[in-house]
Amino acid sequence: MTMHSSRRLVLSTLVSLNGVISEPVAWAGPYFGPGSAAASLRTLQGSSAMLMGRRTYDIFSRQWPDTPGDYAAHLNAMPKYVFSSTLRDPSWSNTTVLGTDVAGTVAQMKREPGDDLIVYGHGRFGRTLTEAGLVDELVVTVVPVIVSDGDFLSGPGGASSTWELLDAGPGADPGLASLRYRPRRG
């Protein structure tokens, strides 16, 4: 890992062809193979911490602590920060609960030297970070399925934003597409 003078915030999400982001474990699994696992591990290894909201914590803390493999081992060992007003005593190793001042706390974390901060998913927590202008890179993996219902990448009432395409191409496994953006400022 290369230490940076300030951290970047990378938000990575899976999205269906029709824009659904919720519950990807129910629809993305058949497309998430060895290539995706290796790419995800590289992303984790280049990150100094994972940030999440309470819903992501609830999902990940049930799935990863007892899962074997290099990805799970790295995820379980790395620092994790949860923004929640209700979680008091996290059971997942190396997890710290922070308050609800997402924008202020994350802005401070970004000013510290270190490797990237990673966020998975784009629910309420991800939208808060995006609307606050804190996301430096948005990685979208498009999964070739139409999902009948769920939460969409951008919910109603959210702030508009413009993004610049950095890279587009096939995903790490067959059928997936990978898009990488940075916010267009100004």
Side-chain angles (χ1 to χ4, degrees), residues 131 154-155 157-161:
E131 291 176 5
S154 179
S160 296
S161 58

Side-chain angles (χ1 to χ4, degrees), residues 76-96:
N76 290 323
M78 75 185 306
K80 294 169 285 293
Y81 297 96
V82 181
F83 290 84
S84 174
S85 62
T86 57
L87 182 62
R88 297 285 179 243
D89 189 23
S91 59
W92 195 9
S93 63
N94 302 311
T95 299
T96 302

Side-chain angles (χ1 to χ4, degrees), residues 5 9 17 26 36 41-42 50 55 57 59 65 73 93 116 118 120-121 135 150 152 155 158 161:
S5 61
L9 179 68
L17 285 175
S36 296
L41 180 58
R42 283 191 302 275
M50 179 179 167
R55 285 176 52 189
Y57 171 82
I59 294 166
S93 63
D116 292 347
I118 185 74
Y120 288 116
V135 176
F152 290 91
S161 58

Side-chain angles (χ1 to χ4, degrees), residues 93-175:
S93 63
N94 302 311
T95 299
T96 302
V97 178
L98 301 174
T100 56
D101 179 15
V102 173
T105 303
V106 172
Q108 176 58 42
M109 293 173 89
K110 285 182 61 175
R111 286 191 289 271
E112 297 168 0
D115 291 319
D116 292 347
L117 300 168
I118 185 74
V119 175
Y120 288 116
H122 194 69
R124 186 172 39 182
F125 180 66
R127 284 190 289 274
T128 298
L129 294 169
T130 302
E131 291 176 5
L134 294 168
V135 176
D136 297 295
E137 186 173 308
L138 174 62
V139 179
V140 178
T141 300
V142 182
V143 181
V145 297
I146 302 290
V147 179
S148 61
D149 63 356
D151 296 332
F152 290 91
L153 185 61
S154 179
S160 296
S161 58
T162 304
W163 297 80
E164 178 183 349
L165 182 65
L166 298 173
D167 186 47
D173 283 306

